[in-house]
Amino acid sequence: SLDMGLSGMMTIVLMSLLIAQRDEAAPAERRNWMLLCWAGMALAVLAKGLIGVVLPGAVLVLYSLCARDWRIWTRLHLVKGLLVFFAIATPWFVLVALRNPEQPHFFFIHEHFQRFLMKGHKREGAWYYFLVLLIPGILPWIGVLPQSLAAAFKRQDGAFQPRLMLLIWTVFIFFFFSYSTSKLPGYIVPIFPALALLVALFLESASRRQRLFAAGLLCALGAAILIGAPIGFSHASGRSPDELTALKGYQPWVMAAGFFALAGGALALLHARQLRRDMTVLTIAGAGFLATHCILAG
């Protein structure tokens, strides 16, 4: 699967763009980070094609429209950036096309436009396909996700708005792949770094009540997993004995995820009640987040 490599390169694009465009960035600093952003887009194109430049480009257009920030286009270092982009991305495509003349049509037409617009790849999914994946993917932070997204709508006239860009990045990529006729779970992985930043920004100023609610909800979800998983797996059915055995093999991992969610939520609840608004809360919650995802990843 190329989705993790693409997500890593897209994260470089997003983070370097955010650092470069902040209001206090020096000219040289902005130039260097933007060149890294262009390099990241080139690597994303090498990882999985045109979406490596189409998605960030669309996000930038939507951001400039929503924020009415037209000056951002003067801060992209387009000439130098395009030189870096083509210097990195072009050689591989040229060499492959020279040795395989059919490759450009297959890669750029079939693998991009036909796969996105036409059915027949046996990867169709319902409109809520990625919503079902988003919920467990952001599970430890589900209690503060709505508030984190809502906080991104606050306007800041005359200044770069990183929260708004993170929101547009998340929403656009989510709906872009939801519209596609070809769906795989890894397609929305690039939205999770943006969601992580939005949640982190919200937690910096979250109230005691909001922290208590998020921690309590995580405890409830962990308890529900611990109670419901054995019942669900006991009634599981498969098309063959081997498939049923493989399915039930997930039960210990799901139970472990429920335990870590319950334990992490309980610790976060304890610290929220004591109003310890320091790095201890973030460290414990972050450890719970990583442990839960490691368990789910198996």
Side-chain angles (χ1 to χ4, degrees), residues 29 74 80 100 197 223 252 272 278 282 293:
E29 188 179 18
T74 66
K80 294 180 181 178
N100 304 272
L197 283 178
D278 53 22
L282 298 180
H293 274 271

Side-chain angles (χ1 to χ4, degrees), residues 236-260:
S237 60
R239 289 173 291 184
S240 67
D242 290 340
E243 184 178 290
L244 181 59
T245 301
L247 179 63
K248 290 188 174 181
Y250 285 103
Q251 181 172 351
W253 301 103
V254 175
M255 295 292 290
F259 169 78
F260 278 107

Side-chain angles (χ1 to χ4, degrees), residues 35 37-43 45-46 50 53 78-94 108:
L35 292 180
C37 179
W38 284 100
M41 282 191 286
L43 293 172
V45 169
L46 288 174
L50 295 178
V53 66
L78 285 170
V79 176
K80 294 180 181 178
L82 287 171
L83 290 174
V84 170
F85 177 86
F86 286 112
I88 295 173
T90 304
W92 186 87
F93 288 105
V94 172
F108 291 107

